Every structure is written in C-alpha cells, then in structure tokens.
Amino acid sequence: MSGDHQTLALLLFSTFVAVTLGITTWVSRRRQGSAEEFYAGGRLFSPMENGFAIAGDYMSAASFLGISGLIALYGYDGMLYSVGFLVAWLVVLFLVAELVRNCGRFTLADVVAARMRERPVRIAAGTSSVTVSVLYLVAQMVGAGSLVALLLGGTTEAARTWTVIGVGALMVVYVSLGGMRATTWIQIVKAVLLLGGTVALTTLVLVRFHGDFDRLLRTAAERSGHGEAFLAPGLAYGADWTSRFDFISLGLALVLGTAGLPHILSRFYTVPTARAARRSVVWSIGLIGGFYLMTIVLGFGAAALVGPDAVRASNAAGNTAVPLLALDLGGGTGSTGGTVLFAVVAAIAFATILAVVAGITLASSASVAHDLYASLRRRRTEPRSEVAVARIAAVGIGAVAIGLGLLARDLNVAFLVGLAFAVAASANLPVLLYSLFWRGFTTRGAVWSVYGGLVPAVVLVLISPVVSGSPQSLFPDVDFQYFPLQNPGLVSVPLGFLAGWLGTVTSPEVPDEAKHAETEVRSLTGAGAV
C-alpha cells in the first residue's frame, strides 16, 4: 500500500487510541476499588447503552474481517457464520439473559454456585471461562496481524509481531485502569464507528450495482470461477461426508456457543434490573442483525469487485477482503477516494480489535480473580485484593493471547472464533441450562458437565486438521490428526450434556430442594437479585 494509506490509517487509528485512552484515564480517576465498580461498572448503564456495548463486544474482527472474507472465497457456505451468529441471539434472549442477570453477580460461576458447593464449581467454571476467552482473544490477535501486514504493504514477521504485542499491551491498560466502565464506553464508541463504516460500504456496493442485488450475486459467481456453484451449498462443506458433518458441527457451535461466552454473559450484570438486561438484548439484536445482513453484501461485493484470487493473494484466509473492497470502491490504488476509504476501514478494524480484546480480557480476568483465586484461598478474599488480582491476571492473559496469536497467524479469524464458540457451547452452556432448569442437578453433575465438555473439545481440536496434518494447519510439517472434523461441536456439545446428566445420576449428594426453589423464584421474578 502507498504511504498515503499508511499515514492516514495510522493517524485515524491513533486518534481512536487517544480517545479511548482518554476515556480510560477519566474513568480510572473514579473509585475503582469495589468489585461491583470494576466488574460491572456500578450496574448503572441503560438498556440502550448496554445494547450498544453488547453489540460492540459481539461484532468482532472475526465478523468484520473474517466472515466477509469467507463469503468472498466460498460464497453461500461462508454465509453460515452470518446466519449462525445472528440466530444465536434468540437462544440468549429466550433462555439466559434475564435468568442470568437475576441469579448471578459478576460471572457464569455465580449462577451455578448459587445452589451447589462453591469451591469445585467455581474452579471448573473459571477454568472453562478462561479457556474460551483465550481462544477468542487469539482470533482478534490474528486479525490485527493480518490487517497491519496489508496496511504496511508487506507480510514481514516483525510488523505482525509488534502489532500483536501492541494490541495486547493496550488491552491490558484498558482493563487494568478502567475496568468495566471504561470498557463499556470503548465498546459503545467502537460499535457506532463499525456500524457507520459498514453502512457506508454496503451503500457503496449497492450503488455500484444500481441496487440490483441479483446482479451483484451473478457477478460474484462469474468472478469466483465456480459459476452457479458459488451461490449454492457445498463449495466449502459439501465435498464429502466429513465436510458435511463439519458444517453441522460448526452450525451447532455458533448457535449454542453465544449463550456460553463469558464476556457476553458478564454484560448482563452492568444494568440495574433483569428487565433492563432483556431490553439490552433486544437493542443488541437489532444492531447485530443489521450488521450481519450487511456482511453478506460486503462478502459478495468483495467477490464481485476484488475477486477471490486477489483476496487470496493478499491473505490466504481471506481476512483482508473488506479493506481491499474499500480500496476498490474508493477508486482503486493511488486514488484519493481509495486512500481515504481504505484508511477509514483499516482504522475501524483496528478499533474493533482493540475494543473486543478489552471486553474479553476483563471477563477472563474476572473469572481468574472472582472464581479461581477466591476459591483457592482458604479465607474470604477482600474485594480490593480480588480486584488487584484481576488486574494482574489481565497481564498474564494478555501475554498468553499474544503468544498464541503469533502462532496461529495464518488461520481465518472467523474460523478461530468458531472454535471458541464450540468450547463455550460444550462446557458452559450445559452447566448453565442444567443449573437453571433441572431440579435434581448436583455439584458432581455441574463439575462433570464443565470438564466433560471442555476436555473433549480441547483434545479434539488438538488432534484435528486445525493443528496438524494439512498445509493450512498450525503445524503443517507434522501429522497427529486423528479426528477428521475441524470443529468439535458435534461431538463435544452432546458430551457436555451427557457428562452433566451422568454426574448427577451417579452422585450420592441429595439435591437441595430449598436452594433450587430459591434459585427458581429469584431467576423468574428477580426477588433477591443483586
């Protein structure tokens, strides 16, 4: 890319960083010692503010860069991510949003531990939450590396490495100093920027084709080299039965995984009531629904105007399709319009990555401090001590995410998020649903449910084509691939539910009817909720 692209994009991105650091500094001057302030922003956000923040958390680099890239490369099959991410919100709205807000305080473990022995349940749920968060963080780091490689006109490992380290350092600053209040306002600013940029690009694509969506699709199909097959199922997932099962596995993970994502669940605690939590989800569904519909236009627009070959030449996984589309819509390389539009899109993508990693890091550091640290200590932890541990945990989690992000730099970011969703759906969702709706659920059932989904999901990923045995894997030169599917959801999600049931029916523990009744009343009415 030209020097103008670099200068303008870096200037816009620097402006966003300056604004968000200003927000963080302002918030850090307020009282941050209490756990409620650090983890939940004092529970003072309105449904609209929280709805925008949830949308900001959910519309990640995987959505903006990865999904459009997959559609540009694989057409119809790439749309599974857009549809899956959107449909998942119905599960959140109808099954968990209001109930989680009523039953918990800060984390997923609060909901489960309300009627179980706290120590084993918190350790299990905290471990699972950190694992999901780190997987999600890796996807954002990979997106940052791909974007800076395109922006700087090269794929030098040094540029990618320093970008990932820089993003990791900024996210630690946001979380350590500002807590949930700063993170929420950063998400709101980022959501507005991302939606504005996506609307502008979608409008320009439709104007280029005079509003004729059919013509857009047919042009994309012709440019793809696959003809009508580009617009039909099967290009990515229909070659054989293995790929078809992979399709089902991915769909299951996407639809069920959202309700188990720690950084999404923690958002329900930032509003004062359960009714406000439900209204937050309604706001977010409107924003997210519009966004994912637009990613379909952007994906096919990139296929029609840029071409899959050019997208692959820039980034094999398709992560740079949207910036290349912006460059073309603005007038092409060397034009003023192309320079401005490319720079704006690159800056928005950077802002998206920064905001999302801050939200995920806060949720995972809360799990470390509130669940793991507090459970492993014999005596009760003071709130100030717990918050200090959360800040230290943010640094450690950031370091792990940086290392794994550098290792997985050649994988598609939407695909990486699919793995995080699979682990969330396998480990977090079963224990959450059992705790809320099964009267006879026990502590052993809860612990078995978490580990029974978490361990198989992680192990199956390690022995899948994602890690070894293919040119696109993390370690292409070795082969310890024994599981044929790229996404473990089809196997690990049922195992999570089965383990929870098996642990409960084999447990000598007598379920506490009084605690279940108390939890049921609290979850449905809000009586006694924090």
Side-chain angles (χ1 to χ4, degrees), residues 60-86:
S60 65
S63 305
F64 190 51
L65 301 176
I67 293 177
S68 299
L70 286 172
I71 294 173
L73 297 181
Y74 300 110
Y76 183 95
D77 280 5
M79 288 170 53
L80 174 64
Y81 285 89
S82 292
V83 176
F85 283 147
L86 178 54

Short mmCIF file of all heavy atoms in Angstrom, two decimals, residues 60-86:
data_model
loop_
_atom_site.label_atom_id
_atom_site.label_comp_id
_atom_site.label_asym_id
_atom_site.label_seq_id
_atom_site.Cartn_x
_atom_site.Cartn_y
_atom_site.Cartn_z
N SER A 60 -17.03 -8.58 16.32
CA SER A 60 -15.58 -8.58 16.49
C SER A 60 -14.87 -8.51 15.15
O SER A 60 -15.47 -8.40 14.09
CB SER A 60 -15.16 -9.85 17.23
OG SER A 60 -15.45 -10.97 16.43
N ALA A 61 -13.54 -8.62 15.20
CA ALA A 61 -12.75 -8.67 13.98
C ALA A 61 -13.12 -9.90 13.15
O ALA A 61 -13.06 -9.88 11.92
CB ALA A 61 -11.26 -8.72 14.32
N ALA A 62 -13.54 -10.96 13.84
CA ALA A 62 -13.98 -12.16 13.12
C ALA A 62 -15.18 -11.84 12.24
O ALA A 62 -15.30 -12.34 11.13
CB ALA A 62 -14.34 -13.25 14.11
N SER A 63 -16.07 -11.00 12.76
CA SER A 63 -17.26 -10.64 11.99
C SER A 63 -16.92 -9.70 10.85
O SER A 63 -17.32 -9.92 9.70
CB SER A 63 -18.28 -9.96 12.92
OG SER A 63 -18.58 -10.78 14.02
N PHE A 64 -16.18 -8.66 11.15
CA PHE A 64 -15.92 -7.62 10.16
C PHE A 64 -14.96 -8.09 9.08
O PHE A 64 -15.16 -7.84 7.89
CB PHE A 64 -15.35 -6.39 10.88
CG PHE A 64 -15.26 -5.17 10.01
CD1 PHE A 64 -16.35 -4.73 9.29
CD2 PHE A 64 -14.08 -4.45 9.93
CE1 PHE A 64 -16.28 -3.59 8.49
CE2 PHE A 64 -14.00 -3.30 9.14
CZ PHE A 64 -15.10 -2.89 8.43
N LEU A 65 -13.91 -8.79 9.48
CA LEU A 65 -12.88 -9.22 8.52
C LEU A 65 -13.08 -10.67 8.06
O LEU A 65 -13.03 -10.96 6.87
CB LEU A 65 -11.49 -9.09 9.16
CG LEU A 65 -11.07 -7.69 9.63
CD1 LEU A 65 -9.72 -7.75 10.32
CD2 LEU A 65 -11.02 -6.72 8.47
N GLY A 66 -13.31 -11.57 9.02
CA GLY A 66 -13.33 -12.99 8.70
C GLY A 66 -14.54 -13.46 7.92
O GLY A 66 -14.42 -14.19 6.93
N ILE A 67 -15.75 -13.06 8.35
CA ILE A 67 -16.96 -13.55 7.69
C ILE A 67 -17.03 -13.06 6.25
O ILE A 67 -17.31 -13.84 5.33
CB ILE A 67 -18.22 -13.12 8.47
CG1 ILE A 67 -18.25 -13.82 9.82
CG2 ILE A 67 -19.48 -13.44 7.68
CD1 ILE A 67 -19.40 -13.41 10.70
N SER A 68 -16.79 -11.77 6.05
CA SER A 68 -16.83 -11.24 4.68
C SER A 68 -15.79 -11.94 3.81
O SER A 68 -16.03 -12.21 2.62
CB SER A 68 -16.57 -9.73 4.70
OG SER A 68 -17.56 -9.08 5.45
N GLY A 69 -14.62 -12.24 4.39
CA GLY A 69 -13.59 -12.96 3.64
C GLY A 69 -14.02 -14.35 3.26
O GLY A 69 -13.78 -14.81 2.13
N LEU A 70 -14.68 -15.07 4.17
CA LEU A 70 -15.15 -16.42 3.87
C LEU A 70 -16.22 -16.41 2.79
O LEU A 70 -16.25 -17.28 1.92
CB LEU A 70 -15.69 -17.08 5.14
CG LEU A 70 -14.64 -17.54 6.15
CD1 LEU A 70 -15.31 -18.01 7.43
CD2 LEU A 70 -13.78 -18.65 5.58
N ILE A 71 -17.12 -15.42 2.83
CA ILE A 71 -18.14 -15.31 1.78
C ILE A 71 -17.49 -15.00 0.45
O ILE A 71 -17.86 -15.55 -0.60
CB ILE A 71 -19.19 -14.24 2.16
CG1 ILE A 71 -19.98 -14.67 3.39
CG2 ILE A 71 -20.15 -13.98 0.99
CD1 ILE A 71 -20.92 -13.62 3.94
N ALA A 72 -16.48 -14.13 0.46
CA ALA A 72 -15.78 -13.78 -0.78
C ALA A 72 -15.08 -14.99 -1.39
O ALA A 72 -14.98 -15.11 -2.61
CB ALA A 72 -14.76 -12.67 -0.52
N LEU A 73 -14.62 -15.91 -0.54
CA LEU A 73 -13.89 -17.08 -1.03
C LEU A 73 -14.81 -18.27 -1.34
O LEU A 73 -14.57 -19.00 -2.30
CB LEU A 73 -12.84 -17.52 -0.01
CG LEU A 73 -11.70 -16.53 0.29
CD1 LEU A 73 -10.75 -17.12 1.30
CD2 LEU A 73 -10.96 -16.14 -0.98
N TYR A 74 -15.85 -18.46 -0.50
CA TYR A 74 -16.66 -19.67 -0.61
C TYR A 74 -18.14 -19.41 -0.89
O TYR A 74 -18.93 -20.36 -0.95
CB TYR A 74 -16.54 -20.51 0.68
CG TYR A 74 -15.13 -20.91 0.96
CD1 TYR A 74 -14.42 -20.36 2.03
CD2 TYR A 74 -14.47 -21.85 0.16
CE1 TYR A 74 -13.11 -20.72 2.30
CE2 TYR A 74 -13.15 -22.22 0.43
CZ TYR A 74 -12.49 -21.65 1.49
OH TYR A 74 -11.18 -22.02 1.75
N GLY A 75 -18.54 -18.16 -1.03
CA GLY A 75 -19.91 -17.85 -1.39
C GLY A 75 -20.92 -18.28 -0.35
O GLY A 75 -20.81 -17.93 0.83
N TYR A 76 -21.89 -19.08 -0.76
CA TYR A 76 -23.02 -19.48 0.09
C TYR A 76 -22.55 -20.09 1.41
O TYR A 76 -23.09 -19.76 2.47
CB TYR A 76 -23.89 -20.48 -0.68
CG TYR A 76 -25.13 -20.92 0.06
CD1 TYR A 76 -26.35 -20.29 -0.17
CD2 TYR A 76 -25.09 -21.97 0.98
CE1 TYR A 76 -27.50 -20.70 0.51
CE2 TYR A 76 -26.22 -22.37 1.66
CZ TYR A 76 -27.42 -21.73 1.42
OH TYR A 76 -28.55 -22.13 2.10
N ASP A 77 -21.57 -20.97 1.37
CA ASP A 77 -21.14 -21.65 2.59
C ASP A 77 -20.55 -20.68 3.62
O ASP A 77 -20.63 -20.93 4.82
CB ASP A 77 -20.10 -22.73 2.25
CG ASP A 77 -20.77 -23.99 1.72
OD1 ASP A 77 -22.00 -23.97 1.54
OD2 ASP A 77 -20.06 -24.98 1.49
N GLY A 78 -19.96 -19.59 3.14
CA GLY A 78 -19.43 -18.59 4.07
C GLY A 78 -20.52 -17.89 4.86
O GLY A 78 -20.27 -17.35 5.94
N MET A 79 -21.76 -17.90 4.31
CA MET A 79 -22.87 -17.24 4.99
C MET A 79 -23.30 -17.94 6.26
O MET A 79 -24.04 -17.39 7.06
CB MET A 79 -24.08 -17.12 4.04
CG MET A 79 -23.90 -16.12 2.93
SD MET A 79 -25.23 -16.26 1.70
CE MET A 79 -26.68 -16.15 2.72
N LEU A 80 -22.85 -19.19 6.46
CA LEU A 80 -23.22 -19.91 7.67
C LEU A 80 -22.85 -19.12 8.92
O LEU A 80 -23.59 -19.10 9.91
CB LEU A 80 -22.54 -21.28 7.70
CG LEU A 80 -22.73 -22.09 8.99
CD1 LEU A 80 -24.19 -22.45 9.17
CD2 LEU A 80 -21.88 -23.35 8.99
N TYR A 81 -21.70 -18.45 8.89
CA TYR A 81 -21.27 -17.67 10.06
C TYR A 81 -22.22 -16.51 10.31
O TYR A 81 -22.62 -16.26 11.46
CB TYR A 81 -19.85 -17.15 9.83
CG TYR A 81 -18.78 -18.19 9.97
CD1 TYR A 81 -18.37 -18.96 8.87
CD2 TYR A 81 -18.16 -18.44 11.19
CE1 TYR A 81 -17.37 -19.92 8.99
CE2 TYR A 81 -17.17 -19.40 11.32
CZ TYR A 81 -16.79 -20.14 10.23
OH TYR A 81 -15.81 -21.10 10.35
N SER A 82 -22.60 -15.79 9.26
CA SER A 82 -23.53 -14.66 9.43
C SER A 82 -24.85 -15.12 10.03
O SER A 82 -25.36 -14.53 10.99
CB SER A 82 -23.79 -13.98 8.08
OG SER A 82 -22.65 -13.33 7.61
N VAL A 83 -25.41 -16.19 9.49
CA VAL A 83 -26.70 -16.70 9.96
C VAL A 83 -26.57 -17.28 11.36
O VAL A 83 -27.39 -17.03 12.24
CB VAL A 83 -27.25 -17.76 8.98
CG1 VAL A 83 -28.54 -18.37 9.52
CG2 VAL A 83 -27.49 -17.15 7.60
N GLY A 84 -25.50 -18.05 11.60
CA GLY A 84 -25.31 -18.69 12.90
C GLY A 84 -25.13 -17.69 14.03
O GLY A 84 -25.75 -17.81 15.09
N PHE A 85 -24.30 -16.67 13.80
CA PHE A 85 -24.08 -15.65 14.83
C PHE A 85 -25.37 -14.92 15.16
O PHE A 85 -25.62 -14.57 16.31
CB PHE A 85 -23.03 -14.64 14.35
CG PHE A 85 -21.62 -15.14 14.44
CD1 PHE A 85 -20.67 -14.75 13.51
CD2 PHE A 85 -21.22 -15.99 15.45
CE1 PHE A 85 -19.35 -15.20 13.58
CE2 PHE A 85 -19.92 -16.45 15.55
CZ PHE A 85 -18.98 -16.06 14.60
N LEU A 86 -26.21 -14.67 14.14
CA LEU A 86 -27.45 -13.93 14.37
C LEU A 86 -28.49 -14.78 15.08
O LEU A 86 -29.11 -14.35 16.06
CB LEU A 86 -28.00 -13.43 13.03
CG LEU A 86 -29.33 -12.66 13.08
CD1 LEU A 86 -29.23 -11.49 14.06
CD2 LEU A 86 -29.70 -12.15 11.70
#
